[in-house]
Amino acid sequence: MYTEGKSVKRDPKTLGEAEARFLSTLASQDKTIFTTEDAREVTGSSVSATNSLISNLLGKRWLIRLNRGAYLIVPLLAGAEAEYSENWFVVAKYLIDPEPYYLSHFSALEIHEMTTQPVLTVYVSTPARRIPKEIAGATYRFVHARPDDLWGAVSVWVIPSQQVRVSDLERTIVDCLDRPDLCGGVIEVARGLWAKREQVDFVKLGNYAARVRRKSVAKRLGFLLDVYGLGTAELRDSLGALVTSGYVLLDPTLPPEGRHTSKWKIRENIDAEELRSATQT
């Protein structure tokens, strides 16, 4: 039996001729995710006949219902999740539809090619409150955001036929510095920042750090810019103006240790040399 998050071997003999033809046609169109409208175009049948076909495939565990009118074709063989990873972001879009959202944190790092770490959790920032969900090898985690906080996002193509919303480079850095626990820690953010240093708009990054209204972001960002010699003196001055008196951990996912840096009110529980070394590997 198929359960969400696991694949099992399937016996094609369980499919009727019309069901097999339907799935084969979708496969030929590279549609592992499809809507009811897509299904009707393939079958050329009435709404009731198409719904009956989909219902039968759901009952036989060949499909997963992602949302009202949206379905995922189950991987054929155990271990096929790897082939579906390119669609995980598309699955996220259909799971949250019609609620506003953007893919964020570790998922945004991956989409922007700011990390080489394998990521099996898809992070979705949205005002909608949803519990985590496991589908086809990935865990979908919904990060609550206020409706007026869904700025700094862009639409990108993740597969030839599908676009998703994702935080832009600068918003990704800001979000990850706000919640290092959702992106593999500050070192992972630092690697991404360094890797994309030629593409980052540092003026926009400074504006975003001010707009996000969390002083810990300005402190961590200012510290990293100093470590790597990035941005302008004016940018670092503007971030310095946002620094308040309380100290924050550079990486809240690590033990509270290390020296205190008064300029940025940071406790360096990762030292600067380790950060520099991390970008050379």
Side-chain angles (χ1 to χ4, degrees):
M1 177 181 293
Y2 179 83
T3 58
E4 289 186 353
K6 299 178 181 178
S7 288
V8 296
K9 292 183 178 180
R10 304 222 149 268
D11 181 2
K13 293 178 182 177
T14 64
L15 290 173
E17 182 179 344
E19 295 165 342
R21 185 168 58 250
F22 173 71
L23 293 177
S24 295
T25 302
L26 288 171
S28 70
Q29 298 174 356
D30 292 325
K31 288 184 177 178
T32 54
I33 299 171
F34 67 93
T35 64
T36 304
E37 290 75 18
D38 295 329
R40 284 198 65 200
E41 289 182 9
V42 169
T43 63
S45 301
S46 65
V47 172
S48 60
T50 301
N51 288 342
S52 177
L53 175 65
I54 291 172
S55 179
N56 288 341
L57 289 169
L58 285 167
K60 294 178 179 181
R61 309 289 185 173
W62 282 90
L63 301 179
I64 299 171
R65 189 191 309 274
L66 299 178
N67 209 331
R68 184 178 177 85
Y71 306 89
L72 170 71
I73 301 174
V74 173
L76 183 61
L77 299 174
E81 290 91 346
E83 299 175 9
Y84 273 64
S85 60
E86 66 179 1
N87 284 311
W88 288 347
F89 301 131
V90 181
V91 170
K93 178 176 77 170
Y94 282 101
L95 282 175
I96 200 63
D97 184 69
E99 301 291 344
Y101 81 99
Y102 66 85
L103 299 179
S104 61
H105 301 92
F106 226 147
S107 297
L109 289 179
E110 185 174 7
I111 289 171
H112 290 303
E113 299 181 337
M114 300 171 76
T115 181
T116 58
Q117 299 297 317
V119 184
L120 300 180
T121 299
V122 178
Y123 293 94
V124 184
S125 286
T126 176
R129 295 188 182 275
R130 302 282 178 86
I131 61 172
K133 195 175 184 67
E134 292 186 10
I135 295 176
T139 298
Y140 294 83
R141 180 170 175 179
F142 301 93
V143 182
H144 186 258
R146 298 183 306 181
D148 59 357
D149 275 341
L150 298 184
W151 47 267
V154 294
S155 293
V156 300
W157 295 96
V158 288
I159 58 175
S161 61
Q162 293 280 355
Q163 287 184 306
V164 297
R165 295 285 290 171
V166 61
S167 53
D168 64 19
L169 277 175
E170 296 77 17
R171 184 66 197 268
T172 298
I173 293 166
V174 166
D175 280 350
C176 289
L177 289 177
D178 180 39
R179 293 290 306 273
D181 58 308
L182 301 183
C183 65
V186 164
I187 283 184
E188 202 63 36
V189 190
R191 288 192 182 111
L193 172 63
W194 181 256
K196 294 296 180 178
R197 64 192 181 279
E198 300 296 333
Q199 288 80 49
V200 170
D201 181 332
F202 284 96
V203 174
K204 183 192 288 187
L205 183 59
N207 291 337
Y208 279 12
R211 185 176 179 182
V212 80
R213 302 188 300 272
R214 284 181 282 281
K215 306 305 181 183
S216 59
V217 171
K219 294 175 181 181
R220 291 176 184 133
L221 177 58
F223 181 82
L224 291 180
L225 294 181
D226 266 357
V227 167
Y228 295 116
L230 296 174
T232 63
E234 290 77 13
L235 170 58
R236 291 192 288 275
D237 286 345
S238 69
L239 291 171
L242 300 173
V243 171
T244 53
S245 59
Y247 280 82
V248 299
L249 290 173
L250 177 57
D251 191 332
T253 70
L254 298 175
E257 56 191 20
R259 73 188 188 94
H260 293 74
T261 300
S262 59
K263 178 180 179 181
W264 297 109
K265 293 297 186 287
I266 284 285
R267 188 168 186 185
E268 292 182 51
N269 55 348
I270 308 172
D271 64 48
E273 190 53 44
E274 183 178 355
L275 286 168
R276 294 188 190 97
S277 298
T279 59
Q280 307 305 315
T281 57

